[in-house]
Each structure stands twice: as C-alpha cells, then as structure tokens.
Amino acid sequence: RALTSLTPRDRKVLLLRLDCELTQDEIAGHVGVSQVHVSRILRGARAALANQCGLTPVGAGTMVADGRT
C-alpha cells in the first residue's frame, strides 16, 4: 500500500535498486536521468515510505519509530 503512494518512476527506481540490486549508475541508464538524480529519487522515496509507515529516516537506509530518542 505504501508503494502506491510513490510515482511510477520513483517505484521503478526503488525496485531496480532493491529487487535487481542495480547501482545508481545502472539505474540512471535505465531511467534516463543522472546518477545524482537517482540518489535524490531514492532518498525521497525512502522518506515517503518511512512517513507512510510511521517511521523517521535517520540515515542511509536506517529508520526508527517516531518518538524514539
């Protein structure tokens, strides 16, 4: 359900990274954007999914439940 909140492009980038284990450079080639833009898409998608799940992104791939100190 949370994945449906992402745009089709953001879902594709996220799935290429997680399912296919492609590098950001490889994803950039598939999607037609720069590697830097792929990085931004992944960061935004991760934050959006965390928000949908009630988590707070705290670093590269790390998330904690809201309210945790």
Side-chain angles (χ1 to χ4, degrees), residues 5-57:
S5 68
L6 300 176
T7 66
R9 183 194 64 187
D10 290 1
R11 264 195 313 273
K12 180 178 182 175
V13 167
L14 190 63
L15 292 174
L16 286 171
R17 182 71 176 138
L18 298 177
D19 275 354
C20 300
E21 299 181 3
L22 297 182
T23 66
Q24 290 183 5
D25 280 330
E26 292 169 327
I27 295 167
H30 282 282
V31 179
V33 299
S34 70
Q35 175 274 321
V36 172
H37 196 63
V38 169
S39 178
R40 291 180 185 137
I41 292 169
L42 288 169
R43 187 176 334 117
R46 188 171 58 241
L49 291 175
N51 186 42
Q52 288 285 322
C53 296
L55 301 172
T56 303

